[in-house]
């Protein structure tokens, strides 16, 4: 098969394409060979098909035996040297660092657009996305072929990628950063959700935009607003103001106001302008109030530490909180904490299934009104998750795409006598206009398989357009949403609004 990257251009006379097919390096023969060819662009791999039932033989000695399923033998030969697949390039050849993947994606999209324009939509598979340390990005595009082995012409007037192309791109990106190979799209989305915070921050937003956004103007144009937002940084010092809302949940309430709400949250601004905030979620035990005591013990210890204006390392901080919970009760709690510094960086630490999210406008807001009314214009937002889940399901998914169940079974938490387990830490770059959300799992309840990042972006946009200040309104809306979804759990949302620091 002649390489589609060096074959007939999309706007060339198609009669030449037919002539070229007769001299192509592709051999496509309709035969009765009981083999099936995979779509790997580098190799032709044949795997046996189940034997066909015996059929009546053709009387012509030169004709092949008739079978119910006819499978062609296809040999693919590339006229160009292929770069390693993206996963191989990162894992085996160090052609690209995982942490730099998102920064390099804007230079990938024009190459994908060129492949779709030249070969036609539907030409991508997971292995199409390739990267070389010296040459950069390469897209191995696979055209469709008719039964005679000729290239099947595609309608290229609409350059938008087909669902097949979108799925291939998402799987290639997740496959490149995951600890194990990605099986399919469902596996990719599960990995993105569970291991956010360990993957490059914002990769989940990129993949969701690839799957659901209008890309009729091409990927380079369609993905540009998100990449601008992902790369945005504070130009100077920032300020942070926290707002929180919490509710018991109607189905969680047991008639004991003192312990029904097992969540605890707080924030402190230090003399230097650093804001420290946290949400703790007590793990429900035997109804003895141990979960509430655990979350409050953790908050009290965090508050004492915050008052000293001393920052411990993430490991020391988690160990200190774990010990404080252990001294106070046999119960346990999950935790998510953030330290927002005036230089525009935030240190985020999490244990368990409490979550942190960053919500960011796709267009820079007015400098003097970072959280003011939208004045009748739409102010779209994007959101991405900053923390992984420490659950039984996450541990199973780490090793197998067939993981099932145990979504809410915690394997790491504060207290409980289990010793210090897994925890996560990341440094996040903030910018004026950002909303940093810390939440208990009750406030991030899933909604009919809808991605929570899309919920956040939609809520922030609606609240901003309504003229309400987005940060406190978002905290209240998330708690109200949790009750509207059934009120199954305590729901706590703490939203930190980032603005430009005022010079005194």
């Amino acid at each position: 098969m002649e390489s589609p990257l060096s074959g007939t251009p999309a706007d060339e006379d198609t009669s030449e394409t037919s002539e070229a097919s007769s001299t192509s390096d592709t051999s496509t023969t309709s035969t009765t060979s009981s083999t099936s060819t995979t779509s790997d662009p580098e190799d032709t791999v044949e795997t046996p098909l189940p034997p066909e039932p015996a059929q009546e033989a053709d009387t012509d000695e030169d004709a092949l035996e008739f079978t119910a399923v006819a499978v062609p033998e296809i040999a693919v030969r590339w006229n160009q040297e292929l770069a390693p697949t993206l996963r191989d390039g990162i894992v085996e050849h160090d052609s690209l660092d995982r942490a730099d993947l998102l920064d390099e994606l804007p230079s990938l999209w024009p190459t994908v657009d060129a492949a779709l324009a030249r070969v036609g939509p539907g030409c991508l598979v997971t292995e199409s996305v390739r990267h070389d340390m010296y040459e950069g990005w390469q897209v191995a595009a696979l055209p469709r072929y008719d039964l005679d082995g000729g290239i099947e012409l595609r309608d290229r007037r609409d350059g938008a990628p087909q669902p097949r192309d979108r799925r291939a791109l998402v799987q290639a990106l997740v496959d490149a950063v995951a600890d194990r190979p990605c099986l399919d799209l469902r596996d990719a989305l599960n990995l993105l959700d569970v291991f956010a915070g360990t993957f490059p921050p914002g990769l989940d937003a990129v993949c969701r935009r690839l799957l659901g956004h209008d890309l009729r103007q091409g990927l380079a144009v369609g993905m540009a607003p998100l990449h601008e937002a992902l790369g945005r940084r504070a130009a100077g010092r920032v300020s942070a103001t926290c707002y929180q809302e919490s509710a018991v949940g109607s189905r969680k309430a047991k008639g004991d106001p003192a312990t029904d709400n097992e969540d605890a949250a707080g924030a402190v601004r230090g003399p230097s302008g650093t804001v420290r905030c946290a949400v703790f979620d007590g793990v429900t035990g035997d109804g003895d109030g141990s979960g509430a005591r655990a979350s409050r013990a953790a908050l009290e210890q965090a508050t004492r530490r915050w008052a000293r204006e001393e920052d411990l390392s993430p490991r020391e901080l988690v160990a200190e909180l774990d010990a404080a919970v252990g001294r106070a009760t046999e119960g346990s709690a999950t935790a998510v904490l953030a330290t927002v510094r005036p230089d525009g960086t935030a240190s985020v630490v999490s244990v368990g299934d409490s979550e942190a999210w960053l919500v960011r406008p796709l267009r820079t807001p007015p400098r003097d009104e970072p959280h003011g009314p939208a004045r009748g214009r739409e102010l779209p937002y994007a959101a991405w998750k900053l923390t992984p889940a420490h659950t039984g399901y996450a541990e199973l998914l780490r090793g197998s795409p067939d993981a099932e169940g145990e979504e809410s079974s915690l394997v790491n938490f504060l207290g409980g006598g289990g010793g210090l387990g897994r925890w996560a830490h990341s440094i996040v770059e903030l910018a004026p206009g950002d909303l940093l959300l810390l939440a208990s799992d009750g406030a991030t309840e899933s909604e009919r398989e809808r991605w929570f990042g899309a919920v956040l972006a939609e809520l922030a946009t609606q609240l901003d357009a309504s003229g309400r200040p987005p940060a406190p309104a978002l905290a209240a809306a998330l708690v109200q949403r949790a009750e509207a979804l059934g009120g199954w759990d305590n729901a706590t949302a703490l939203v930190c609004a980032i603005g430009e620091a005022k010079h005194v």
Side-chain angles (χ1 to χ4, degrees), residues 87-242:
R87 177 175 176 83
D88 288 345
I90 290 178
V91 175
E92 298 180 9
H93 302 285
D94 296 323
S95 67
L96 186 64
D97 192 281
R98 282 185 174 92
D100 299 329
L101 176 61
L102 263 61
D103 294 335
E104 296 295 326
L105 287 182
S107 60
L108 167 64
W109 306 137
T111 308
V112 176
D113 287 337
L116 294 174
R118 186 168 190 174
V119 182
C123 67
L124 302 182
V125 294
T126 304
E127 296 85 357
S128 293
V129 183
R130 294 169 175 266
H131 189 273
D132 179 80
M133 180 183 300
Y134 303 104
E135 302 295 336
W137 292 107
Q138 183 185 57
V139 175
L142 296 171
R144 297 292 181 89
Y145 291 86
D146 58 30
L147 291 178
D148 295 326
I151 293 179
E152 182 180 328
L153 298 179
R154 311 296 300 279
D155 184 0
R156 300 166 187 170
R157 290 173 296 177
D158 182 0
Q162 290 185 349
R164 165 194 172 106
D165 302 315
R166 295 171 183 253
R167 292 192 298 267
L169 291 170
V170 169
Q171 289 176 225
L173 295 179
V174 178
D175 194 55
V177 299
D179 290 340
R180 59 167 177 79
C182 178
L183 178 65
D184 52 24
L185 180 63
R186 179 183 177 185
D187 186 33
L189 296 180
N190 287 338
L191 289 168
L192 279 172
D193 182 57
V194 169
F195 297 115
T198 58
F199 289 172
L203 181 61
D204 52 348
V206 168
C207 290
R208 293 289 180 168
R209 190 174 181 89
L210 282 172
L211 291 173
H213 193 67
D214 183 355
L215 299 174
R216 282 178 290 183
Q217 297 184 57
L219 278 84
V221 173
M223 299 300 293
L226 177 58
H227 283 294
E228 186 281 328
L230 289 170
R232 194 181 305 155
R233 302 290 184 266
R237 292 172 65 84
V238 303
S239 64
T241 307
C242 295

Side-chain angles (χ1 to χ4, degrees), residues 318-385:
V318 173
E320 184 174 276
L321 296 173
D322 179 70
V325 172
R327 290 192 299 268
T329 178
E330 294 182 356
S332 55
T334 67
V336 57
L337 307 95
T339 300
V340 182
R341 299 182 176 86
D343 65 0
T345 61
S347 173
V348 179
V349 178
S350 67
V351 180
D353 59 1
S354 293
E355 300 178 3
W357 289 76
L358 186 62
V359 186
R360 177 170 288 176
L362 292 181
R363 290 198 297 268
T364 305
R367 292 175 60 86
D368 59 346
E369 198 176 0
H371 294 286
R375 298 175 180 171
R377 63 181 175 83
E378 182 184 11
L379 186 62
Y381 284 80
W384 51 92
K385 193 178 179 185

Side-chain angles (χ1 to χ4, degrees), residues 259 261-263 280-286 288-297 329-333:
T259 60
N261 195 339
E262 298 176 308
D263 292 352
F280 301 97
D281 183 358
V283 178
T284 301
D286 299 326
D288 58 356
S290 60
R293 290 193 294 273
S295 63
R296 292 167 191 173
T329 178
E330 294 182 356
S332 55

Side-chain angles (χ1 to χ4, degrees), residues 193 208 357 444-459 462 481:
D193 182 57
R208 293 289 180 168
W357 289 76
T444 59
E445 183 77 22
S446 61
E447 181 181 342
R448 297 179 182 176
E449 301 299 322
R450 190 182 182 198
W451 182 50
F452 185 66
V455 173
L456 284 176
E458 182 178 309
L459 280 175
Q462 292 173 352
R481 171 182 171 274

Side-chain angles (χ1 to χ4, degrees), residues 363-431:
R363 290 198 297 268
T364 305
R367 292 175 60 86
D368 59 346
E369 198 176 0
H371 294 286
R375 298 175 180 171
R377 63 181 175 83
E378 182 184 11
L379 186 62
Y381 284 80
W384 51 92
K385 193 178 179 185
L386 303 175
T387 52
H390 298 142
T391 62
Y393 174 70
E395 292 304 307
L396 293 174
L397 190 66
R398 190 183 301 276
S400 170
D402 299 322
E404 294 181 359
E406 300 191 45
E407 287 90 345
S408 61
S409 174
L410 293 171
V411 294
N412 294 286
F413 39 79
L414 301 176
L420 185 59
R422 191 188 301 273
W423 48 272
H425 172 248
S426 61
I427 299 295
V428 181
E429 298 282 351
L430 301 174

